Amino acid sequence: MTAEKPQSATEAAPEAGAGRAAVTRRSMLKTAGFAALAFGAATAGGNSAFAASSAGSTEEGGSFDAIVIGAGYAGVTAARELRAQGLRPLILEARDRLGGRVWTDTFAGEQIELGGAWVSERHALVEKELKRYNIGTVNDPSAEVSIGPTLTGYRNFTPAEAGARQGALLSKLFAGAEQVFERPYEPLYRKDLVTPLDRISLRDRINELKLSAEDEMWISGEAATYSGGNSSLGAYTHMAQWWALSGAKPEGWFGLIGRRPATGMTGLLKAILADAGADLRLNSPVAAISDDGRRVRVTTRAGKTFSAPVAVVAVPVNMWKTIAFTPGLPAVHAAATAQGVGIMSSKKFWMRVRGDFGRISASTPEGNLISSLHSRTQFANGEQLMIGFSENPNLDITNRAQVQQAIRQIVPSLTVLDIKGQDWGNDKWSGGSWGFRKPGQLLAQYPAIQQPFGRLSFATDDIANGWSGGFIDGAIESGLRAAQQAVKSV
Ligand SMILES: Cc1cc2nc3c(=O)[nH]c(=O)nc-3n(C[C@H](O)[C@H](O)[C@H](O)COP(=O)(O)OP(=O)(O)OC[C@H]3O[C@@H](n4cnc5c(N)ncnc54)[C@H](O)[C@@H]3O)c2cc1C
């Protein structure tokens, strides 16, 4: 298997070559995506024909006390908890690395995060893990200048002005969220209040507010970002619950960004893994899982079968449809994976840039090619390390010229020298980026989606109660629960 590589574009690369590389990669992704879709269509909800044929050609991989599929935060946490209960876990991971949607790497001589990066004191489970492993945190330096949209383009604001304006708009958008999510870790505690709201999208609610055109520009970008580039795709209740979890105050909300584990996100994960005493097999994508009521048999795409009394399925919801389950998944799980929870368009990219504009933080309205920019490090030679996010399918982060052109609409003097990033929407093993529910999914899925199915339990932040979708805290929560469920079935 070829090693997974982030996408990159450098100033030195001739544009035509970079363009060709991008096209090749895009076509490869398209082919891989098509294959996964075709496979998924055949297997969603279980395809015993496939399971039987793969079982017929398998080689015995061994038997274990428990099998965990997926080595992201959810799976590794579940493995550690299983071990704590005296079970010897096997972890089967498709990629050639740990971490899934977190991926600590280096670029321009700095530690970077291609996926999940920031932790907050509001993430109680993450805080507990940081303390347990004695891992400190570092804060990204604050912006000196905020750039925000106007009716004619962009302009500079002080961070205090921009924070006050956006904070006031968010408070309006989520007014009453603290009652709807009175117990924010129990999303259905006030089902009566959640029910009428769960069917509406973030766009529906923004429209109801009848904001001025400019105010709308200040809030639509944030809503569209989390929804995957289009605020009508994302459930109002999902972001409202995050708002309630943040203390229903702008300070709590803005505090979700900027603090990171000193070891990087993968460093904390490695510490958890060390306590799992697990047999970790990388490059081992799982093709089929069958449960005969006594044991679970897990078959990799290479045709090796492992067995155990229980298994934890710790892959993203969007990936369930690529695995042949026998018996087929319950209706709620099958519907969730068919609809998807992980957003389908999302790129995070790091840039080495040049230009005299200080430390900036920029936000754009819905529909822009770039959704936000954040200065991270200022180098002595005047260059900067900067983070960009885009949920627009039309941005190709391997095309430096296109990225630069898009950024110059916001910061005219900026020159992009080098890019390293990840297109999570097209990631083969996530099948999407962070989770963000669509309208109606909270009521349709919870709590059934968190329940074990025979000898299988499910872990991924996409189905957490608290910080679900977009936060490792939710992944840890789901891993803890799935391990407890698995132990009961042994
Ligand atoms: C761009 C981006 C920014 C984010 N920012 C933040 C942030 O700042 N703070 C924060 O807390 N969170 C953030 N998140 C969210 C965070 O990264 C996720 O919540 C978390 O990593 C999800 O963990 P998980 O274990 O549920 O899933 P994953 O991390 O996706 O792990 C699932 C694992 O299953 C594997 N897998 C898939 N299919 C198979 C198969 N068939 N067989 C075997 N293995 C398989 C995958 O390779 C993967 O390793 C961000 C996410 C993204 C994408």
PDB file of all heavy atoms in Angstrom, residues 374-385:
ATOM      1  N   HIS A 374      -5.919  32.116   9.379  1.00  0.00           N
ATOM      2  CA  HIS A 374      -5.404  32.401  10.724  1.00  0.00           C
ATOM      3  C   HIS A 374      -3.877  32.396  10.673  1.00  0.00           C
ATOM      4  O   HIS A 374      -3.275  31.368  10.326  1.00  0.00           O
ATOM      5  CB  HIS A 374      -5.831  31.314  11.729  1.00  0.00           C
ATOM      6  CG  HIS A 374      -7.286  30.985  11.663  1.00  0.00           C
ATOM      7  ND1 HIS A 374      -8.212  31.548  12.506  1.00  0.00           N
ATOM      8  CD2 HIS A 374      -7.996  30.155  10.842  1.00  0.00           C
ATOM      9  CE1 HIS A 374      -9.426  31.079  12.206  1.00  0.00           C
ATOM     10  NE2 HIS A 374      -9.307  30.237  11.192  1.00  0.00           N
ATOM     11  N   SER A 375      -3.254  33.506  11.036  1.00  0.00           N
ATOM     12  CA  SER A 375      -1.784  33.520  11.138  1.00  0.00           C
ATOM     13  C   SER A 375      -1.382  32.634  12.303  1.00  0.00           C
ATOM     14  O   SER A 375      -1.981  32.723  13.375  1.00  0.00           O
ATOM     15  CB  SER A 375      -1.282  34.926  11.452  1.00  0.00           C
ATOM     16  OG  SER A 375      -1.531  35.797  10.392  1.00  0.00           O
ATOM     17  N   ARG A 376      -0.384  31.798  12.130  1.00  0.00           N
ATOM     18  CA  ARG A 376       0.088  30.973  13.253  1.00  0.00           C
ATOM     19  C   ARG A 376       1.461  31.421  13.743  1.00  0.00           C
ATOM     20  O   ARG A 376       1.644  31.754  14.903  1.00  0.00           O
ATOM     21  CB  ARG A 376       0.128  29.512  12.825  1.00  0.00           C
ATOM     22  CG  ARG A 376      -0.325  28.492  13.843  1.00  0.00           C
ATOM     23  CD  ARG A 376       0.454  28.267  15.072  1.00  0.00           C
ATOM     24  NE  ARG A 376       1.608  27.452  14.884  1.00  0.00           N
ATOM     25  CZ  ARG A 376       1.606  26.128  14.769  1.00  0.00           C
ATOM     26  NH1 ARG A 376       0.488  25.465  14.826  1.00  0.00           N
ATOM     27  NH2 ARG A 376       2.732  25.483  14.611  1.00  0.00           N
ATOM     28  N   THR A 377       2.450  31.480  12.839  1.00  0.00           N
ATOM     29  CA  THR A 377       3.808  31.810  13.289  1.00  0.00           C
ATOM     30  C   THR A 377       4.379  32.895  12.379  1.00  0.00           C
ATOM     31  O   THR A 377       4.241  32.803  11.167  1.00  0.00           O
ATOM     32  CB  THR A 377       4.712  30.566  13.203  1.00  0.00           C
ATOM     33  OG1 THR A 377       4.041  29.478  13.829  1.00  0.00           O
ATOM     34  CG2 THR A 377       6.067  30.800  13.857  1.00  0.00           C
ATOM     35  N   GLN A 378       5.024  33.885  12.995  1.00  0.00           N
ATOM     36  CA  GLN A 378       5.732  34.888  12.196  1.00  0.00           C
ATOM     37  C   GLN A 378       7.218  34.563  12.266  1.00  0.00           C
ATOM     38  O   GLN A 378       7.780  34.431  13.356  1.00  0.00           O
ATOM     39  CB  GLN A 378       5.475  36.285  12.762  1.00  0.00           C
ATOM     40  CG  GLN A 378       4.078  36.788  12.421  1.00  0.00           C
ATOM     41  CD  GLN A 378       3.806  38.174  12.976  1.00  0.00           C
ATOM     42  OE1 GLN A 378       3.846  38.357  14.182  1.00  0.00           O
ATOM     43  NE2 GLN A 378       3.529  39.127  12.109  1.00  0.00           N
ATOM     44  N   PHE A 379       7.845  34.409  11.114  1.00  0.00           N
ATOM     45  CA  PHE A 379       9.264  34.064  11.076  1.00  0.00           C
ATOM     46  C   PHE A 379      10.108  35.344  11.017  1.00  0.00           C
ATOM     47  O   PHE A 379       9.634  36.391  10.567  1.00  0.00           O
ATOM     48  CB  PHE A 379       9.571  33.182   9.858  1.00  0.00           C
ATOM     49  CG  PHE A 379       8.838  31.865   9.875  1.00  0.00           C
ATOM     50  CD1 PHE A 379       7.914  31.555   8.885  1.00  0.00           C
ATOM     51  CD2 PHE A 379       9.060  30.942  10.891  1.00  0.00           C
ATOM     52  CE1 PHE A 379       7.231  30.337   8.898  1.00  0.00           C
ATOM     53  CE2 PHE A 379       8.374  29.730  10.914  1.00  0.00           C
ATOM     54  CZ  PHE A 379       7.462  29.426   9.917  1.00  0.00           C
ATOM     55  N   ALA A 380      11.398  35.192  11.400  1.00  0.00           N
ATOM     56  CA  ALA A 380      12.300  36.352  11.448  1.00  0.00           C
ATOM     57  C   ALA A 380      12.492  36.972  10.063  1.00  0.00           C
ATOM     58  O   ALA A 380      12.714  38.171   9.947  1.00  0.00           O
ATOM     59  CB  ALA A 380      13.646  35.923  12.030  1.00  0.00           C
ATOM     60  N   ASN A 381      12.376  36.176   9.001  1.00  0.00           N
ATOM     61  CA  ASN A 381      12.584  36.726   7.650  1.00  0.00           C
ATOM     62  C   ASN A 381      11.341  37.402   7.081  1.00  0.00           C
ATOM     63  O   ASN A 381      11.285  37.724   5.899  1.00  0.00           O
ATOM     64  CB  ASN A 381      13.064  35.623   6.692  1.00  0.00           C
ATOM     65  CG  ASN A 381      11.991  34.555   6.481  1.00  0.00           C
ATOM     66  OD1 ASN A 381      10.909  34.638   7.048  1.00  0.00           O
ATOM     67  ND2 ASN A 381      12.297  33.551   5.667  1.00  0.00           N
ATOM     68  N   GLY A 382      10.330  37.601   7.911  1.00  0.00           N
ATOM     69  CA  GLY A 382       9.124  38.316   7.456  1.00  0.00           C
ATOM     70  C   GLY A 382       8.055  37.380   6.906  1.00  0.00           C
ATOM     71  O   GLY A 382       6.931  37.818   6.666  1.00  0.00           O
ATOM     72  N   GLU A 383       8.402  36.126   6.709  1.00  0.00           N
ATOM     73  CA  GLU A 383       7.381  35.181   6.232  1.00  0.00           C
ATOM     74  C   GLU A 383       6.507  34.735   7.408  1.00  0.00           C
ATOM     75  O   GLU A 383       6.853  34.952   8.561  1.00  0.00           O
ATOM     76  CB  GLU A 383       8.063  33.966   5.581  1.00  0.00           C
ATOM     77  CG  GLU A 383       8.794  34.337   4.295  1.00  0.00           C
ATOM     78  CD  GLU A 383       9.525  33.144   3.680  1.00  0.00           C
ATOM     79  OE1 GLU A 383       9.445  32.028   4.230  1.00  0.00           O
ATOM     80  OE2 GLU A 383      10.195  33.354   2.664  1.00  0.00           O
ATOM     81  N   GLN A 384       5.406  34.100   7.060  1.00  0.00           N
ATOM     82  CA  GLN A 384       4.465  33.613   8.090  1.00  0.00           C
ATOM     83  C   GLN A 384       4.014  32.214   7.780  1.00  0.00           C
ATOM     84  O   GLN A 384       3.936  31.825   6.608  1.00  0.00           O
ATOM     85  CB  GLN A 384       3.191  34.447   8.036  1.00  0.00           C
ATOM     86  CG  GLN A 384       3.161  35.676   8.822  1.00  0.00           C
ATOM     87  CD  GLN A 384       1.713  36.168   9.034  1.00  0.00           C
ATOM     88  OE1 GLN A 384       0.751  35.377   8.998  1.00  0.00           O
ATOM     89  NE2 GLN A 384       1.569  37.449   9.266  1.00  0.00           N
ATOM     90  N   LEU A 385       3.651  31.501   8.820  1.00  0.00           N
ATOM     91  CA  LEU A 385       2.939  30.232   8.654  1.00  0.00           C
ATOM     92  C   LEU A 385       1.468  30.541   8.926  1.00  0.00           C
ATOM     93  O   LEU A 385       1.137  31.143   9.959  1.00  0.00           O
ATOM     94  CB  LEU A 385       3.465  29.210   9.661  1.00  0.00           C
ATOM     95  CG  LEU A 385       2.799  27.846   9.661  1.00  0.00           C
ATOM     96  CD1 LEU A 385       3.005  27.132   8.325  1.00  0.00           C
ATOM     97  CD2 LEU A 385       3.378  26.981  10.787  1.00  0.00           C
TER      98      LEU A 385
END
